[in-house]
């Protein structure tokens, strides 16, 4: 565990300590740490980096140790080659998070994730219930449920899921041919407030994604393969999240024809589910609302 000067510009915020922390053989995560107190780990989504938490982290750091890594394969974290289809499984990435918290001296921690980071957080909650005290999931369904609700022309909104599920080669080549257009498409389409992602942060996101096409595709490809296997095994075994869980989502069900709260209920006994009115990038579009929801979860 060594201090580092991240190549990402801008930084998370004042008073933030950047470190590169080894979490697995040959894998170190670029990690921002701020504040003091009980630990809260915040995991970013797609197509973003840890910078998406800049507002929420500053608020929570008033009375918590806030830990914001770039996931493996993203931002300034290491990007190992996916040699066997498991390197970017959410089980592997969840183990990264647990190792990260341990390296920073936190045996137990609250965990919040957005989008791809939420899938990692979900898996960490199932695999490591003795380590995760509270769990917040922002704007996803569990992988297995996600694929089951995608059908017909309404599934076009998730075209990237199908593209990146293809065997190695074509998806990487297509995305790398126009990365800013591809990743920028989602920053534009999924936001209700374009001003929530200022130009310097947007540029940082696009740069990070341009430099991580193979690993980002591998992350998504895992969710069309091994991640489904893990979810199916847990569903068959009746495994549930044991800690208090908060799920915040846009009303995707109105377009895709599902009831999100009903899909989440079998996975968590202590569940608070709410629909937000902002866009997908809710930690940037409505940071006060998200901070408030996380604080309510931490008090449960």
């Amino acid at each position: 565990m060594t201090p580092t000067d991240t190549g990402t510009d801008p930084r998370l915020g004042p008073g933030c300590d950047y470190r590169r922390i080894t979490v697995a053989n040959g894998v170190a995560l670029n990690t921002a740490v701020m504040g003091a107190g009980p630990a809260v780990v915040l995991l970013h989504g797609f197509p973003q980096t840890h910078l998406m938490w800049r507002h929420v982290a500053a608020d929570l750091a008033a009375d918590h140790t806030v830990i914001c890594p770039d996931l493996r394969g993203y931002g300034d974290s290491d990007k190992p080659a996916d040699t066997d289809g498991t390197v970017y499984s959410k089980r592997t990435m969840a183990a990264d998070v647990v190792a990260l918290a341990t390296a920073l001296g936190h045996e137990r921690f609250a965990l919040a994730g957005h989008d791809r980071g939420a899938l990692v957080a979900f898996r960490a909650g199932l695999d490591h219930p003795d380590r995760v005290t509270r769990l917040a999931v922002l704007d996803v369904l569990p992988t297995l449920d996600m694929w089951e609700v995608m059908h017909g022309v309404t599934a076009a909104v998730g075209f990237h899921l199908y593209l990146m599920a293809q065997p190695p080669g074509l998806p990487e080549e297509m995305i790398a041919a126009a990365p800013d257009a591809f990743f920028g498409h989602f920053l534009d389409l999924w936001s209700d407030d374009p001003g929530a992602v200022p130009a310097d942060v947007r540029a940082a996101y696009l740069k990070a994604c341009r430099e991580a096409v193979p690993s980002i595709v591998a992350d998504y490809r895992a969710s069309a393969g091994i991640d489904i296997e893990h979810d199916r095994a847990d569903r068959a075994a009746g495994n549930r999240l044991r800690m208090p869980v908060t799920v915040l989502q846009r009303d995707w069900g109105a377009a895709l024809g599902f009831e999100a709260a009903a899909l989440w209920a079998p996975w968590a006994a202590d569940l608070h589910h709410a629909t937000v009115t902002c866009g997908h990038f809710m930690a940037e579009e409505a940071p006060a609302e998200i901070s408030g929801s996380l604080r309510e979860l931490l008090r449960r």
Side-chain angles (χ1 to χ4, degrees):
M1 179 174 65
T2 57
T4 186
D5 183 12
T6 177
T8 303
D9 186 19
R11 295 167 69 87
L12 188 68
C16 184
D17 177 25
Y18 274 89
R19 311 178 192 183
R20 286 190 65 79
I21 300 177
T22 299
V23 294
N25 186 27
V27 179
L29 302 186
N30 175 57
T31 306
V33 183
M34 59 195 308
V40 179
V41 180
L42 305 177
L43 304 179
H44 67 84
F46 164 92
Q48 300 157 292
T49 69
H50 72 283
L51 290 174
M52 64 154 283
W53 293 109
R54 59 197 180 278
H55 305 304
V56 173
D59 178 84
L60 295 180
D63 46 16
H64 289 81
T65 299
V66 181
I67 303 167
C68 298
D70 288 331
L71 296 168
R72 75 159 58 193
Y74 288 82
D76 288 323
S77 290
D78 287 340
K79 304 169 181 64
D82 186 19
T83 55
D84 61 3
T86 69
V87 174
Y88 290 93
S89 76
K90 303 309 152 298
R91 173 158 288 161
T92 299
M93 296 171 80
D96 287 349
V97 174
V98 172
L100 175 67
T102 300
L104 290 170
H106 301 283
E107 289 302 310
R108 289 170 60 78
F109 55 93
L111 181 59
H114 174 256
D115 191 86
R116 306 305 295 173
L119 297 177
V120 177
F122 171 74
R123 177 47 54 191
L126 286 171
D127 286 359
H128 306 278
D130 57 326
R131 303 296 301 275
V132 180
T133 63
R134 307 278 191 287
L135 180 66
V137 171
L138 276 58
D139 218 24
V140 295
L141 293 173
T143 300
L144 181 58
D145 296 284
M146 176 192 72
W147 287 111
E148 290 177 350
V149 303
M150 302 287 281
H151 54 81
V153 295
T154 57
V157 69
F159 79 93
H160 60 300
L161 301 172
Y162 296 92
L163 172 62
M164 291 190 274
Q166 303 308 310
L170 183 61
E172 292 88 343
E173 183 176 351
M174 292 177 65
I175 295 168
D180 285 9
F182 180 78
F183 296 112
H185 167 79
F186 301 103
L187 290 172
D188 295 334
L189 180 67
W190 292 344
S191 177
D192 288 352
D193 178 11
V197 181
D200 59 339
V201 174
R202 181 186 178 94
Y205 289 162
L206 293 178
K207 177 179 182 293
C209 289
R210 278 198 304 275
E211 297 172 351
V213 171
S215 52
I216 291 174
V217 174
D219 169 33
Y220 273 86
R221 186 176 289 122
S223 287
I226 193 166
D227 293 344
I228 295 176
E229 295 176 18
H230 293 158
D231 280 9
R232 282 178 177 155
D234 279 315
R235 177 182 282 179
N239 292 339
R240 306 181 79 192
L241 296 163
R242 303 178 194 172
M243 67 290 299
V245 177
T246 289
V247 177
L248 304 176
Q249 295 186 276
R250 297 185 73 182
D251 193 8
W252 295 103
L256 297 176
F258 64 86
E259 175 54 51
L263 294 178
W264 271 105
W267 290 106
D270 183 355
L271 173 68
H272 171 73
H273 186 282
T275 302
V276 300
T277 57
C278 59
H280 175 66
F281 303 111
M282 54 186 70
E284 295 175 284
E285 297 182 56
E289 179 180 352
I290 302 309
S291 293
S293 293
L294 294 182
R295 286 189 174 280
E296 289 178 5
L297 171 64
L298 293 169
R299 288 193 293 267
R300 271 166 55 197

